[in-house]
Amino acid sequence: MDQPVLPGRVKYDSQGLIPAVVQHATSGEVLMVAWMNAEALLQTMESGQAYFWSRSRGELWHKGATSGNFLQVREILVDCDTDTLLLKVIPDGPACHTGAQSCFFRKLEGLHAGRIVSDH
Amino acid sequence: MDQPVLPGRVKYDSQGLIPAVVQHATSGEVLMVAWMNAEALLQTMESGQAYFWSRSRGELWHKGATSGNFLQVREILVDCDTDTLLLKVIPDGPACHTGAQSCFFRKLEGLHAGRIVSDH
């Protein structure tokens, strides 16, 4: 693992946001993807619980504030372009507002393994 | 797992793009995050290898075309809002252009487990 990245080096998009992938720290399941602004990242780092920027509501969003299902952040990784974050978390409950453990509970229709010719 | 989502139901942003998280199908490691437009998704579904839209180059990007490290797509999942994709893949080689297995090879400085008060 390379040198850690300072939070000030994180690159936000033209709207001041960066995508954050949330992964279960022990099972490895990808739970959700949300967006952070600088304030959300700061609050996350200070509290150890995930904060995001709600694009639909236009406000800071402390994940779990209404459901009780907070995300306890164990580690934050940064990608090679410094423009995407990966949060490794222990969730207090289902991460999805539907009650599902993960927001990715549906397959896309039409990709069939049989159409893949080979692994290599 | 709920009913599959038809590709035509996928929601693209104002620039016609949708973020795609790429996860190793067996290890669960998150390898990279990239963007797809409708054409990239179609090519991915037809070929079984990951195509993206390169925002920096402004062109369709067949991942691995130059490096040889194609991503063999095993499954595509869609999130609850239908605006993020999760590709489960078997990579032919390192997913990152730096040669790292994953683009997420650096930690963000400043989040210390000791600052997290409890798991619950």
Side-chain angles (χ1 to χ4, degrees):
Chain A
M1 178 93 35
D2 288 27
Q3 286 291 311
V5 175
L6 292 170
R9 302 297 295 275
V10 165
K11 291 181 199 159
Y12 299 92
D13 68 13
S14 60
Q15 294 168 79
L17 301 176
I18 184 169
V21 178
V22 178
Q23 184 180 32
H24 195 295
T26 55
S27 76
E29 186 176 21
V30 174
L31 302 175
M32 60 183 286
V33 173
W35 295 80
M36 285 185 168
N37 60 5
E39 174 68 14
L41 180 55
L42 180 69
Q43 293 286 339
T44 298
M45 297 183 70
E46 289 198 347
S47 70
Q49 295 186 337
Y51 283 74
F52 303 106
W53 177 257
S54 169
R55 296 179 302 168
S56 57
R57 296 193 301 274
E59 63 181 24
L60 195 69
W61 166 31
H62 183 191
K63 170 71 179 169
T66 51
S67 67
N69 298 326
F70 298 100
L71 300 174
Q72 312 294 341
V73 182
R74 286 286 173 268
E75 192 170 66
I76 302 178
L77 300 175
V78 185
D79 81 342
C80 55
D81 294 327
T82 328
D83 64 2
T84 309
L85 301 176
L86 175 59
L87 277 63
K88 302 213 171 189
V89 311
I90 302 294
D92 283 350
C96 186
H97 74 283
T98 63
Q101 295 300 313
S102 162
C103 292
F104 295 94
F105 54 85
R106 294 177 299 173
K107 287 188 187 184
L108 190 69
E109 174 89 41
L111 179 79
H112 302 293
R115 301 179 66 173
I116 299 175
V117 177
S118 71
D119 281 354
H120 294 282
Chain B
M1 178 96 31
D2 288 27
Q3 285 292 309
V5 175
L6 292 169
R9 302 297 296 277
V10 165
K11 291 181 197 157
Y12 298 92
D13 68 13
S14 60
Q15 293 168 80
L17 301 175
I18 184 169
V21 178
V22 178
Q23 183 180 31
H24 195 294
T26 56
S27 76
E29 187 177 20
V30 174
L31 302 175
M32 59 184 286
V33 173
W35 295 80
M36 286 184 166
N37 60 5
E39 175 68 14
L41 180 56
L42 180 69
Q43 293 286 339
T44 298
M45 296 182 70
E46 289 198 348
S47 69
Q49 296 185 337
Y51 284 74
F52 303 105
W53 177 257
S54 168
R55 296 180 303 169
S56 58
R57 297 193 301 273
E59 64 182 22
L60 194 69
W61 166 31
H62 184 190
K63 170 70 180 169
T66 52
S67 67
N69 298 326
F70 299 99
L71 300 173
Q72 311 294 341
V73 182
R74 287 286 174 269
E75 190 170 67
I76 303 178
L77 301 175
V78 185
D79 81 341
C80 55
D81 294 328
T82 327
D83 64 2
T84 308
L85 301 176
L86 174 60
L87 277 64
K88 302 213 173 189
V89 311
I90 302 294
D92 282 350
C96 187
H97 74 283
T98 63
Q101 294 300 314
S102 162
C103 293
F104 295 94
F105 55 84
R106 296 177 298 173
K107 287 188 187 185
L108 190 70
E109 173 89 41
L111 179 77
H112 302 292
R115 299 180 67 174
I116 299 175
V117 177
S118 71
D119 283 354
H120 292 282

